[in-house]
Amino acid sequence: MQELLSEIQNNPTLMFISVIALVVLLIIALVVVVSSMRVKTYKDRFINVREDNNDKAERISSLEKELQEYKIKNASNTQELEQFSETKNVLNSTKESLTATQKEFNDLEKEQSQLITKLENLQAMYDNLLNEHKTLQDRTEHMQEENSKIRINNARLLVKLETGEMFASQLKQRSSKKNSAEKG
């Protein structure tokens, strides 16, 4: 090996070739070192990117779960909103119905008070007519009694008159018999 080194040192061409070989060897070593450093860097980056990707995948899956929860919650809220809208419509129609019913109730209440007033007036008139009827009935009974007394009285007077007429006609007949007997 020493002989080889001395021969290379004495021969400039060999020295030049050895220096070139050494430079090539150094370049190759440098390329290997740089490549290995790059490989290590890329390996570290790859590991970091893989961890980031795993973290991002977990984050994405948690965000997807949250999104699903929000979608479900949104659907539930949408349904509640539709039900609220329907309930609001029912409430409005019920309110309108209540207003109409209250108006009808007030009208019927007015009509009832008018009818009660009319009924009270008619009852008062009925009571007055009943009292007047009773008074007239009493008067009619009294007049019938008076009429009956007057008829009885008239019948007596008629009987007395007939008796008086018969008596007068008998007297007249006697007197005319007496006058005819006295004349004759």
Side-chain angles (χ1 to χ4, degrees), residues 84-111:
F84 176 75
S85 177
E86 290 173 7
T87 304
K88 186 177 175 184
N89 291 338
V90 168
L91 180 64
N92 285 338
S93 66
T94 304
K95 189 175 179 181
E96 290 172 2
S97 174
L98 176 65
T99 305
T101 305
Q102 281 180 332
K103 184 179 178 193
E104 190 176 319
F105 174 75
N106 290 338
D107 292 344
L108 289 175
E109 202 171 46
K110 286 178 186 176
E111 188 177 339

Side-chain angles (χ1 to χ4, degrees), residues 142-153:
H142 179 69
M143 290 180 109
Q144 281 179 347
E145 286 176 11
E146 293 241 346
N147 193 12
S148 180
K149 285 180 185 176
I150 291 174
R151 280 188 182 171
I152 291 172
N153 212 3

Side-chain angles (χ1 to χ4, degrees), residues 61-103:
S61 70
S62 70
L63 288 174
E64 285 177 347
K65 285 180 184 176
E66 283 183 35
L67 179 63
Q68 288 299 322
E69 290 174 5
Y70 283 128
K71 282 183 179 178
I72 292 170
K73 196 172 186 180
N74 186 30
S76 173
N77 288 344
T78 304
Q79 188 176 12
E80 286 180 13
L81 187 62
E82 288 174 2
Q83 288 175 350
F84 176 75
S85 177
E86 290 173 7
T87 304
K88 186 177 175 184
N89 291 338
V90 168
L91 180 64
N92 285 338
S93 66
T94 304
K95 189 175 179 181
E96 290 172 2
S97 174
L98 176 65
T99 305
T101 305
Q102 281 180 332
K103 184 179 178 193

Side-chain angles (χ1 to χ4, degrees), residues 9-160:
Q9 282 179 353
N10 293 337
N11 190 353
T13 313
L14 278 177
M15 180 80 126
F16 181 68
I17 291 176
S18 348
V19 170
I20 289 181
L22 186 63
V23 169
V24 169
L25 185 63
L26 283 176
I27 289 176
I28 289 174
L30 184 63
V31 168
V32 168
V33 169
V34 169
S35 293
S36 71
M37 285 178 65
R38 280 188 145 193
V39 166
K40 184 172 179 355
T41 305
Y42 285 139
K43 182 180 175 186
D44 289 343
R45 271 191 199 167
F46 177 74
I47 290 171
N48 288 339
V49 167
R50 189 170 56 188
E51 288 177 6
D52 284 347
N53 284 343
N54 287 340
D55 289 344
K56 288 178 183 178
E58 288 176 13
R59 180 76 177 139
I60 287 172
S61 70
S62 70
L63 288 174
E64 285 177 347
K65 285 180 184 176
E66 283 183 35
L67 179 63
Q68 288 299 322
E69 290 174 5
Y70 283 128
K71 282 183 179 178
I72 292 170
K73 196 172 186 180
N74 186 30
S76 173
N77 288 344
T78 304
Q79 188 176 12
E80 286 180 13
L81 187 62
E82 288 174 2
Q83 288 175 350
F84 176 75
S85 177
E86 290 173 7
T87 304
K88 186 177 175 184
N89 291 338
V90 168
L91 180 64
N92 285 338
S93 66
T94 304
K95 189 175 179 181
E96 290 172 2
S97 174
L98 176 65
T99 305
T101 305
Q102 281 180 332
K103 184 179 178 193
E104 190 176 319
F105 174 75
N106 290 338
D107 292 344
L108 289 175
E109 202 171 46
K110 286 178 186 176
E111 188 177 339
Q112 180 189 16
S113 67
Q114 290 173 353
L115 288 175
I116 287 174
T117 306
K118 279 184 180 179
L119 177 66
E120 288 171 353
N121 290 339
L122 289 174
Q123 276 183 326
M125 283 175 59
Y126 175 74
D127 290 341
N128 287 341
L129 289 174
L130 212 66
N131 288 336
E132 192 176 322
H133 174 52
K134 188 174 181 184
T135 304
L136 289 174
Q137 224 176 6
D138 289 344
R139 190 172 165 198
T140 302
E141 286 176 9
H142 179 69
M143 290 180 109
Q144 281 179 347
E145 286 176 11
E146 293 241 346
N147 193 12
S148 180
K149 285 180 185 176
I150 291 174
R151 280 188 182 171
I152 291 172
N153 212 3
N154 281 347
R156 283 185 193 156
L157 287 174
L158 195 56
V159 168
K160 279 184 183 179

